Amino acid sequence: VTAIADKLNVEFALIHRAHDGKSQSDRMDLVVGHVKDKVAILVDDMIDTATTLSLAARTLHDKGAKAVHALISHGSIFSLFPTFSPASLIEIREGRGVGPEKDHIYLQLSHLPAEVLHERLPGISDTAAIFSGVDVTKEPIPVLPTVHYH
């Protein structure tokens, strides 16, 4: 991961997820680096429930990062929506995107009970709140299409 920071000529920080093995109360610890008043880019290779991503983003905000962005190489969360990415590209290409630039679509989850979202997709609510400022129980999640591989 330091190779990415080196290539971009930026500082590097490392976050470690600590599992206690007994409960769901994992925590993230900033092990290396300083993020106060900086823009942080999270690099994650596999996203399933987005719990680790949301814990990391919350930790960076708590440590004073002024903004947090995510770079994800394998967004397997989209395996829950097998036709989601191609369908979103088609919608946008055919002029049915949303937003000022018409460059994204909405993922609506508010029809699902909050307990289902918490149980089946535990990191989605936090990730949407942190990165998009939305409450998934009330608002749709803005989604920009991306390239992913299976």
Side-chain angles (χ1 to χ4, degrees):
V1 176
T2 58
I4 295 171
D6 293 343
K7 192 168 213 110
L8 295 173
N9 196 28
V10 297
E11 294 178 47
F12 173 80
L14 176 71
I15 296 178
H16 171 70
R17 183 174 181 182
H19 300 276
D20 68 7
K22 299 175 188 146
S23 70
Q24 296 294 330
S25 60
D26 295 345
R27 70 176 200 285
M28 300 298 263
D29 297 317
L30 188 61
V31 178
V32 174
H34 302 281
V35 297
K36 186 169 176 49
D37 298 324
K38 297 183 180 172
V39 174
I41 301 172
L42 286 168
V43 179
D44 200 341
D45 66 337
M46 186 64 71
I47 302 297
D48 187 21
T49 63
T51 301
T52 300
L53 183 69
S54 62
L55 283 169
R58 187 168 308 283
T59 299
L60 291 168
H61 280 293
D62 290 348
K63 296 290 184 180
K66 65 181 177 181
V68 179
H69 301 278
L71 175 64
I72 303 162
S73 62
H74 296 88
S76 68
I77 191 167
F78 288 110
S79 66
L80 299 170
F81 313 99
T83 58
F84 186 70
S85 188
S88 65
L89 291 171
I90 292 168
E91 290 298 304
I92 291 167
R93 189 175 334 128
E94 294 183 359
R96 293 186 294 271
V98 296
E101 305 294 321
K102 303 253 185 242
D103 62 348
H104 61 279
I105 62 166
Y106 286 132
L107 174 60
Q108 184 63 263
L109 299 176
S110 64
H111 63 287
L112 298 172
E115 56 274 2
V116 170
L117 290 169
H118 178 72
E119 200 175 286
R120 301 286 306 273
L121 300 168
I124 295 295
S125 299
D126 283 344
T127 303
I130 291 166
F131 290 104
S132 300
V134 300
D135 176 350
V136 299
T137 63
K138 299 176 184 161
E139 307 166 79
I141 303 168
V143 178
L144 288 159
T146 181
V147 176
H148 65 281
Y149 302 94
H150 295 285

